[in-house]
Amino acid sequence: MLEWLETTLKRLNVTDTMDPPQGFTRLGYTQEEWAAMDVFQQVAEELGLNVRQDAAGNRIARWETEQEDYPSVSGLTAIPGASSRPAVALGSHLDTVVSGGGYDGVAGLLCALGAVKWLKRQGFTPLYPVEIICFAAEESARFGVSTIGSKAMAGLLSVEELAGVKDQHGITLREAVEQMGLSWSDITKAERSQQEIKRFVELHIEQGTRIEKSGAQFGVATAIACPIRLKIEVEGQMGHTGTTPMDERRDALVAVAPLISFVAERAEQLSASSPCPVVATASTLQVKPNVMNVIPGWVELGIDIRSVDDKLKIQLAQSIKEKCAELEQCYHVKIKIDTLVHNPSVTLDRSVADDLLQTGERLGYKGLLMESGAGHDVMNMAHKWPSGLLFIPCREGLSHHPREYAALDDLLMGTHILAAYLQGEAGE
Amino acid sequence: MLEWLETTLKRLNVTDTMDPPQGFTRLGYTQEEWAAMDVFQQVAEELGLNVRQDAAGNRIARWETEQEDYPSVSGLTAIPGASSRPAVALGSHLDTVVSGGGYDGVAGLLCALGAVKWLKRQGFTPLYPVEIICFAAEESARFGVSTIGSKAMAGLLSVEELAGVKDQHGITLREAVEQMGLSWSDITKAERSQQEIKRFVELHIEQGTRIEKSGAQFGVATAIACPIRLKIEVEGQMGHTGTTPMDERRDALVAVAPLISFVAERAEQLSASSPCPVVATASTLQVKPNVMNVIPGWVELGIDIRSVDDKLKIQLAQSIKEKCAELEQCYHVKIKIDTLVHNPSVTLDRSVADDLLQTGERLGYKGLLMESGAGHDVMNMAHKWPSGLLFIPCREGLSHHPREYAALDDLLMGTHILAAYLQGEAGE
């Protein structure tokens, strides 16, 4: 199994080595993502699953129940209504950020495929269909919008609002989707009914170090900290760097610098004084005109705020707004604040979480109930179906980085936990 | 004359309006710069000047002395040795920054052309050749290197060092020069001997507000504050914005933010405590990977420091280095500092400055002796020839900006001062 996991990990990453110096770049709705999805389909078909692509470009690999596949050959008693039974679904994604790692997303599909392989070898016969869903475009790296495929499946996609969002080359989401042979106006057809899915579970690398620090071996999330994202636009005044006296400047970069420090310091203070952590990052910054001899006249800063406690997020966003008002006065600039994203945090189904925890511990692994600081496809699925999120550790908590790494032993552990979970949920 | 100045201003800017919303973009060694230079040549030829292009792409328009042009027709006494007499040269440039104004550089050539037109109408006969030099690629906006044409003419171009510098599209300076039909290996042939030029004078918009504030109408520079430019590269650690606790981060942007504030504050303090001002600007900033859900792992900051007092520049650069060492410790990042440019400030010829001041004041304008905070082509010419720099005011000191503006009356004043100066220097 270890060897199969190692080989399939590389296959899904469309690579010969897991250590390319620039990492992996498979942005959503690109040929690179599609090539990896084609491999996913191939591996799933090798395992005997039927694979289809939905209207959003998600690939759904399905292990049908006996009755449907072999109604006359198997000799088993027909299970009444089996064909209409809801599926127990696993899933994750294959797209990455720019220069990301080969485990974020991939690990979840690899372990799910491994679990099916394992169960097939054990001669397991599912009473409920088992699905592995490879979601399209989970990362926000290309369009600033995350989890597009799972939003579509859960009926949460704002088709009109998102059609025109652009990537850095000016390609709209609508164009990108259509370049992959899909139809933007049909994308909502990817929505599935509540009856189609019994449970959804995503396995993901932790992207943090809490599992390791607590002495556990795997984690199970009870909630997902969804972000508030702010766009801060600062308008100052360009001018020649050599001829404009210091006291006559309205430098947009000088005005925004204290805000960058403030965001980090305030998040640290709030976390220290609250039972629940809050993290905040000034993660994007653009300066115009960005040339050596011109005073920055315009700066745009993107801020990402996360906590499973929505009140803390709102409190921090509020202090950022107050700080901006202060900076406007102090540096004689104009500051415009847009809330790009304000997603309430998602509480996951407690019984699924308990099942996952017990399943792992029965196999002899120590588990940790925890929150997820990152969003995942499961947060959309959880709006419609009882859902769970299983974490395996990754080295130094590193993610979205070429050095992202999860040990094969941990991938094997994840495979075993998912297989045992499927045995319970899709068996009797 | 006012009408001719207004028309010619638009011609040199290759435009119908001086208020295009995006300003003017004519980067060095591009078709846009060349198109403006072609107009310069056309206007100069309309005035009866002979125009040639040198090996660096500078255009040199020359008003020959009588003896050379009309040795037999004029009937004047031949002036012995006139053909080998050094030229009295005026000049500036036509390239701009991205979205710059239509006066920076253009004003100098416009007033020089206007001065020749004026003198020709007055029937003035030069005893020394008069030249108007349109320098190539003065702005550093494209390659981060300024005044390429005048460096070549003064023999200051580091051909080997600069061949490979690239613009943002990856085109090297060498390639850009050759795309204009020039030869990089021949570019040093643009160097001229000391005997060829008697005086060089550049007229430029002030790009500041000192003339207006002092109650004067024009300025004459005694020195030019050349920059020290630093490139500060900060290497932190990327990570997921949602899963990395605040106290485990090595955020390159958070580490560099206090430096941006420090540069501005320290320059202001130093200026306040010194007889001579020093200005410093964190003018360029690039973040990687610059996506919403990844902690900035890498930042590059460009800093521009200027003063005519070189000691102040060095002192400020030194404090920046010390601050970087402190930030490295405090934020657990690595900081690398490169000195991109370290040009000692240039003292201009005092007798040329006095002549320009007296010439302007004889015409009834009030002049101000001052320093130049910005570099200009004249700083290279001054290394080889007695040179001067004449300023006319520009509105609100705005420059490198679409709203850059100089009044026609001030352009006319500049024209008159240059004409009177040429009468003195190129006449008897």
Side-chain angles (χ1 to χ4, degrees), chain A residues 7-138:
Chain A
T7 308
T8 308
L9 175 65
K10 286 184 195 158
R11 284 179 71 190
L12 290 170
N13 277 295
V14 198
T15 185
D16 291 329
T17 168
M18 289 304 292
D19 299 305
Q22 297 302 314
F24 298 97
T25 300
R26 291 187 295 268
L27 296 175
Y29 295 121
T30 62
Q31 293 304 334
E32 289 74 23
E33 182 190 30
W34 245 238
M37 282 182 151
D38 288 344
V39 176
F40 165 76
Q41 175 157 350
Q42 207 180 326
V43 175
E45 286 170 352
E46 287 164 13
L47 295 174
L49 308 183
N50 297 320
V51 184
R52 69 183 175 91
Q53 179 179 284
D54 73 6
N58 302 309
R59 305 274 175 114
I60 303 170
R62 194 167 155 106
W63 184 358
E64 300 294 354
T65 52
E66 288 282 330
Q67 196 214 21
E68 291 166 298
D69 276 1
Y70 315 104
S72 55
V73 180
S74 72
L76 290 174
T77 310
I79 301 157
S83 66
S84 63
R85 283 195 169 187
V88 180
L90 308 176
S92 197
H93 63 96
L94 290 174
D95 64 317
T96 69
V97 298
V98 174
S99 289
Y103 299 85
D104 178 348
V106 178
L109 293 166
L110 177 68
C111 294
L113 290 163
V116 165
K117 184 181 168 68
W118 178 272
L119 289 174
K120 290 225 166 190
R121 213 164 50 184
Q122 305 277 322
F124 173 71
T125 308
L127 299 182
Y128 293 84
V130 169
E131 287 188 1
I132 307 177
I133 307 172
C134 176
F135 293 107
E138 193 267 351

Side-chain angles (χ1 to χ4, degrees), chain B residues 42-240:
Chain B
Q42 206 180 327
V43 176
E45 286 171 351
E46 287 164 15
L47 296 174
L49 308 184
N50 297 322
V51 184
R52 68 180 176 94
Q53 180 179 283
D54 74 6
N58 302 310
R59 305 274 175 113
I60 303 170
R62 194 167 155 105
W63 184 359
E64 301 292 354
T65 51
E66 288 281 332
Q67 194 216 21
E68 289 167 297
D69 276 1
Y70 316 104
S72 55
V73 180
S74 73
L76 289 174
T77 311
I79 300 157
S83 66
S84 64
R85 285 196 168 185
V88 179
L90 309 176
S92 196
H93 63 96
L94 290 174
D95 65 317
T96 70
V97 298
V98 174
S99 288
Y103 299 85
D104 177 348
V106 178
L109 293 166
L110 176 68
C111 294
L113 290 163
V116 165
K117 184 180 168 69
W118 178 272
L119 290 174
K120 290 226 166 189
R121 211 164 52 184
Q122 306 277 322
F124 173 72
T125 307
L127 299 183
Y128 293 84
V130 169
E131 286 188 3
I132 307 178
I133 307 172
C134 177
F135 293 107
E138 192 267 350
E139 300 288 355
S140 59
R142 183 171 177 194
F143 292 103
V145 183
S146 70
T147 62
I148 298 170
S150 53
K151 278 196 176 92
M153 191 174 287
L156 299 171
L157 199 68
S158 310
V159 179
E160 279 171 29
E161 194 183 314
L162 296 181
V165 299
K166 287 179 182 171
D167 70 7
Q168 61 167 348
H169 302 295
I171 299 170
T172 63
L173 175 54
R174 179 196 195 111
E175 286 162 352
V177 162
E178 303 206 328
Q179 279 169 9
M180 303 322 291
L182 304 165
S183 155
W184 180 256
S185 54
D186 283 351
I187 200 166
T188 51
K189 294 187 181 158
E191 183 174 356
R192 299 176 73 177
S193 72
Q194 199 158 10
Q195 288 72 40
E196 288 181 67
I197 295 175
K198 185 185 178 201
R199 294 283 184 274
F200 175 79
V201 169
E202 179 165 5
L203 175 145
H204 206 280
I205 56 169
E206 182 195 354
Q207 307 180 294
T209 54
R210 290 185 58 197
I211 298 173
E212 192 191 336
K213 284 196 177 159
S214 73
Q217 286 156 290
F218 72 100
V220 175
T222 53
I224 296 177
C226 295
I228 289 182
R229 286 182 176 166
L230 305 175
K231 181 174 85 174
I232 313 280
E233 215 176 322
V234 185
E235 201 187 318
Q237 171 83 63
M238 290 198 285
H240 194 289

